[in-house]
Amino acid sequence: MPLSAYQIAEEPYFEPQGGEVALFSAAHALRQPVMIKGPTGCGKTRFIEHMAWRLGRPLITVACHEDMTASDLVGRYLLDAGGTAWHDGPLTLAVRHGAICYLDEIVEARQDTTVVVHPLTDDRRILPLEKKNELVRAHPDFQLVISYNPGYQSVLKDLKESTKQRFVALDFAYPDAEREAQIVAREAGVAKDVAVLLVRIAERTRNLKGHGLDEGASTRMLIQAGRLIKQGVGLAEACHVALVLPITDDMGVRETLSDVIAACA
């Protein structure tokens, strides 16, 4: 298969929070485009990987950024040994061969780039390749998935309504304390009581959102701290380098977070 390299061989661990697995499966059966909304590090990408494995579909992931052009998605002509040849971009590969194409943090891309997906998200299911003068009709198994963090929305960095309304949406949040501790314990390989303590610290940092922090500590960050602890790093030091330093440069906020860690420990 042309996309065998994108097939996920082993099941990615994912702990469901509600009905998201059934909802995504229903949307996939209809090949409806799906939008995943939620804070950084809450499991959006892991969920998509898990669903691609569960559905047996190859997954092509694109990390969106502000310098990404439409050509980066659909493809371009490049020089090779035989002269000039067309090379499909990741979106075109997925459209031709029936993969799930996942555009991660799509709001980071320019709006004139993201509109290229519009013909794929309605009844047409086509991808015009203007530079190649070709119209690619989507493979029956093709599905488009996008994600973004609503916490970073702004007037200049948000999806157009004409784009949003083409998707069904799943709203993600951090897991409840018990489930999050279970995830951290499994992924970091630490004891349950250590995971519970890390989650307690994270909850305190999340309460500071809007009071010096744009975001609190994510589940991903807790796993990173847990892995350091498993390697013999002390709790306070592991939390300092994995939780405190990455999320703020403000010395006052750092001191507050250090106090939170000391109080929880």
Side-chain angles (χ1 to χ4, degrees):
M1 189 179 78
L3 297 182
S4 58
Y6 297 96
Q7 200 80 33
I8 298 176
E10 297 182 2
E11 179 181 3
Y13 172 70
F14 177 76
E15 190 68 34
Q17 298 184 45
E20 64 269 30
V21 171
L23 288 169
F24 189 95
S25 297
H28 179 75
L30 298 169
R31 303 305 186 257
Q32 287 181 317
V34 176
M35 174 168 55
I36 311 293
K37 303 165 67 174
T40 299
C42 70
K44 300 188 296 294
T45 298
R46 177 62 66 87
F47 170 68
I48 298 304
E49 292 172 346
H50 176 82
M51 293 308 302
W53 173 84
R54 179 183 286 262
L55 296 166
R57 303 308 311 157
L59 175 67
I60 298 179
T61 300
V62 180
C64 298
H65 55 85
E66 60 185 8
D67 294 325
M68 188 173 70
T69 66
S71 294
D72 292 326
L73 284 177
V74 301
R76 52 169 58 90
Y77 282 103
L78 297 173
L79 289 173
D80 59 21
T84 302
W86 174 266
H87 291 258
D88 283 341
L91 178 61
T92 307
L93 281 173
V95 171
R96 286 192 196 277
H97 303 294
I100 296 173
C101 184
Y102 174 44
L103 305 182
D104 187 20
E105 296 296 347
I106 191 171
V107 293
E108 297 297 330
R110 300 190 317 231
Q111 290 186 341
D112 61 341
T113 299
T114 57
V115 295
V116 73
V117 306
H118 283 192
L120 289 167
T121 53
D122 54 32
D123 290 341
R124 291 173 291 174
R125 282 177 60 85
I126 57 174
L127 179 63
L129 303 180
E130 296 178 0
K131 293 182 179 179
K132 198 182 179 194
N133 195 27
E134 180 183 358
L135 189 65
V136 182
R137 299 196 176 276
H139 188 284
D141 290 331
F142 168 76
Q143 185 183 23
L144 181 66
V145 181
I146 64 174
S147 74
Y148 73 102
N149 180 355
Y152 292 144
Q153 283 184 10
S154 69
V155 174
L156 298 177
K157 192 169 278 191
D158 193 10
L159 290 179
K160 292 181 177 180
E161 287 300 323
S162 59
T163 301
K164 288 181 180 179
Q165 295 183 20
R166 296 170 180 271
F167 293 81
V168 298
L170 297 178
D171 207 10
F172 273 47
Y174 295 122
D176 60 71
E178 176 63 27
R179 187 175 282 112
E180 189 168 25
Q182 180 179 333
I183 293 169
V184 173
R186 185 189 186 282
E187 293 288 275
V190 295
K192 185 67 176 293
D193 60 333
V194 174
V196 168
L197 182 57
L198 289 171
V199 170
R200 190 180 305 139
I201 293 170
E203 289 176 335
R204 298 283 186 87
T205 69
R206 292 164 192 168
N207 291 335
L208 294 174
K209 183 177 179 180
H211 301 280
L213 288 180
D214 293 328
E215 291 283 349
S218 67
T219 306
R220 179 193 296 128
M221 299 176 81
L222 299 185
I223 293 169
Q224 292 171 344
R227 287 172 176 168
L228 289 174
I229 293 170
K230 184 174 175 60
Q231 287 297 312
V233 179
L235 173 70
E237 188 174 7
C239 289
H240 185 68
V241 299
L243 306 183
V244 178
L245 297 185
I247 61 176
T248 182
D249 293 319
D250 186 287
M251 294 306 297
V253 177
R254 285 184 178 182
E255 290 179 6
T256 300
L257 292 175
S258 296
D259 291 341
V260 166
I261 293 167
C264 290

